[in-house]
Amino acid sequence: MSSETTSSEAMSSETCEIEACESKFCQLKAKERIGTINPIFTCQPAGAQFVSIGIKDCIGIVHGGQGCVMFVRLLISQHLKESFELASSSVHEDGAVFGATGRVEQGIDVLLERYPHVRVIPIITTCSTEIIGDDCDGVVNKLEEELLPVKYGDRDVHLLVIKTPSFVGSMVSGYDIAVRDFVKKFARKTEPNGKLNLITGWVNPGDVKELKHLLAEMDIDATVLFEIEDFDSPVMPDGSAVSHGNTTIEDLQDTANALGTIALNRYEGGKAAQFLQKKFKLPTIIGPTPIGIRNTDTFLRNLKEMTGKPIPPSLVKERGIAIDALADLTHMFLADKKVAIYGNPDLVIGLAEFCLDLEMKPVLLLLGDDNSSYGDDPRIKAIQDGVDYPMEIVTNADFWELERRIKDGEIELDLILGHSKGRFVSIDYSIPMVRVGFPTYDRAGMYRHPVVGYGGATWLAEQMANALFTDMEYKKNKEWLLNVW
Amino acid sequence: MPYHEFDCSTCIPERKKHAVVKGPGEDLTSCLPLGYLNTIPGSISERGCAYCGAKHVIGTPMKDVIHISHGPVGCTYDTWQTKRYISDNNNFQLKYTFATDVKEKHVVFGAEGMLKQNILEAFKAFPDIKRMTIYQTCATALIGDDIDAVAAEVKEELPDVDIFVCNSPGFAGPSQSGGHHKINIAWVNNKVGTFEPEITSDFVINYVGEYNIQGDQEVMLDFFKRMGIQVLSTFTGNGTYDGLRSMHRAHLNVLECARSAEYICDELRVRYGIPRMDIDGFGFEPLSISLRKVGRFFGIEDRAIKIIEEETAKWRPQLDWYKERLRGKKVCLWPGGSKLWHWAHVIQEEMGVEVVSVYTKFGHQGDMEKGVSRCGEGALAIDDPNELEGLEALAKLKPDIIFTGKRPGEVAKKVRVPYLNAHAYHNGPWKGYEGWVRFARDIYNGIYSPIHQLSALDISKDEIPTGRGFLTARMLSDSSLSDDIRNSQVLKPYDGKFDPIAGLRAKTYPDFERLARTASAAATAAE
């Protein structure tokens, strides 16, 4: 339904009004209030920081106040129960007044001296340093001419600037920009490598594991951006484990030599895929987010198309196991359940599509930023064309869009799907909720489980069913239904 | 000078004066790290910003208030739901956070108009809430929005609302401490003295520098109420906006966290002549001394003594149960600011643990003076520690447990050091007598976790013990104890509830008879 082969389609993220939609049942509209009551998204630098921890031997330096790093590190740590290294240029008052490029220069030097393994330092800008107009490109040029050859001549060090002013876009566009900028910085055409570029978007370690499993079953060699399986890292007897991503500079360089690119998420990695397509003429497929059976089928078809490799019987069986599990749940328990879904746009759309396949009724989709291209998304258009019951899709949304509708009785929900920041809506209105997306700090181990692939479809459906079952029991609402199931 | 130079920081020599080891016979004249200086960029410091110090630490615990941050959405989002300052009004301030959501067009053309619209929208969404705080952020400070003017305009239009503005952008100072200072001063300048409270007791205090982490404030208020003391305001945990406007009517400022809130106490002393009394709710002895001090100030020390006797009789056997089992365990006390000195000596004295290191993220030299003087010999004191220094210290000191923040706790986990959350607590509250036992219980559970013990085993090399299907904390902790202690009929482990706060909220208190002279003075004043 939503496979989308991009040719020259632009994905503008500039702000403009979303066109009023024609659908009889489903409206796409922007939040009417100007302010935000309980935000669904954070700002761009957070997305760029999440990308930078996915790269091996990379420590990002966030150019701004210290909170822009400290709290994002905490946020990531809340979600993954791990700590990741990110530095700050620690802009204080003098820097804000007189310019703070000196702080970046010093910061890079200190980082390189104290972390001898570091090979890449992205300079991630923020609102403050974008407003004061610090010339970070100038800093990079200067350091590449002076500090790096003079002091670190024996090391292979790369600097790049990722411009992520916090007052533009959201963490989603920050992620998208950062993936593109890393690829742009490193991709070099040499020899064809016969590999596929798989750009996952903002996912969990469990998703990467599932995707790599599908690739392995298809016997496909791929460069996965980003190799974040090890975000789920061990405690080792010798205390040696450190959490970090494992995508190398060489992996990034080699993206130019792939046989093609599949970016699973339109809004998180789509820009990088387009860059590779334009610059290196790589065949490119953007989407669909492989959530649910149908989208996973499409993903496998795309893999097959791009590599010529057949879909093996093992995946037919795996799919069958998933279908078997879903058949136990759909028309008996999930049918007609009204769902609200919020979070990253590709995730929300993928979940909504899957819920529809499960006979559920997504009634409210909340996308937390003002990206003007949502209205052009063929998946959203398809949902608008396809649903036959009242549904709303709200952009630039906050949690008040959800809570107010519940409070005022405009919608009645059976289930909420989304990340932990919305937990109080579920708690206060006694609506069961399945934690999905980023961050999910109030449930254990969510990052370990995939939402993509057949395995993800099964896990998601079972999580939803179990959430409903628990709710039936707490509320003594036909809890006996499960007796002979 | 006993400065400690970290191997990982030899290339940043200015760090050398930020760590000391307290040697034999040394005092603060020779053993005091530098503090509260600008952070070294790229050092991976743990510091936050002045916005979070103002909004997140001090402003937001105020419970009956719409807290709006004027800026892009991230400042609000990132700080939201990262604290455990609860309140007895269904945690309104934890659940709801507001951002003006400044976009590029506002940066270019100004954001004052949209700020006003934001304020009106927020009051409309929550018609029962009539109080608001607005926090400046880096972006809106740099574009120069006049937030005060907008707030004044709204107050003209909506006479039943009151608005407080705090101009503390993220870059305003070396750490969150800059924000603590700014909001203290802004509050006393703009809000204290603008509301007249009802005085219902002869003994009236402000409880200052207390943020109700997991219910700490409610535990302490229980003691004050049992003493017949009226707590006019709490700055700011579980505190009300109007209560804090009436701080000028208290007889005494009882100050808990002197790092974050001494500024307002000192200003209240200068401007209104209200004395400042520093107290400490952590630990049996410091708390008992504190309650007696407050009692003595009002001439009601007997009431304090009664409470102290009751509480101590009830909880001492439980605290001592843990003390016997924690004796000699090594602790890194790595909090944010004031807890390094609130806890340093008392956990050693009352729980038997040895504090091998203290650090502070945003403390000043004054905090280190108190902390270092309360540590034993050989303790390593670090100002504004960074990631590598923390790891180097853990490798060198090999502590049994570390008290620090959530994310640094994850770092400690990897090197197999269990952690307790020093800021938000594990299973608090940790203030009060029962709370202190809960803290001891949490330390015990961390140190003697059977799973933690298993983490040392390398199944590829080590002999794998096969004799047991399980171990309990008790088996691990009691093996080296004497029979007397192990079988003591007096000592016992903690037996309180998972949530001790719900019971406090339902509690009623005796009426103490007003002194005739103050009651008649009040009546005369009223006439």
Side-chain angles (χ1 to χ4, degrees), chain A residues 341 348-349 352 362-367 383 391-395:
Chain A
I341 311 171
V348 169
I349 294 166
V363 292
L364 180 64
L365 308 185
L366 300 168
L367 308 174
I383 289 172
M391 176 176 177
E392 292 173 289
I393 304 173
V394 184
T395 65

Side-chain angles (χ1 to χ4, degrees), chain B residues 340-359:
Chain B
L340 86 97
W341 46 265
H342 272 300
W343 290 353
H345 61 309
V346 70
I347 54 176
Q348 302 192 98
E349 284 163 17
E350 299 193 353
M351 299 183 191
V353 299
E354 182 196 349
V355 176
V356 293
S357 177
V358 291
Y359 85 31

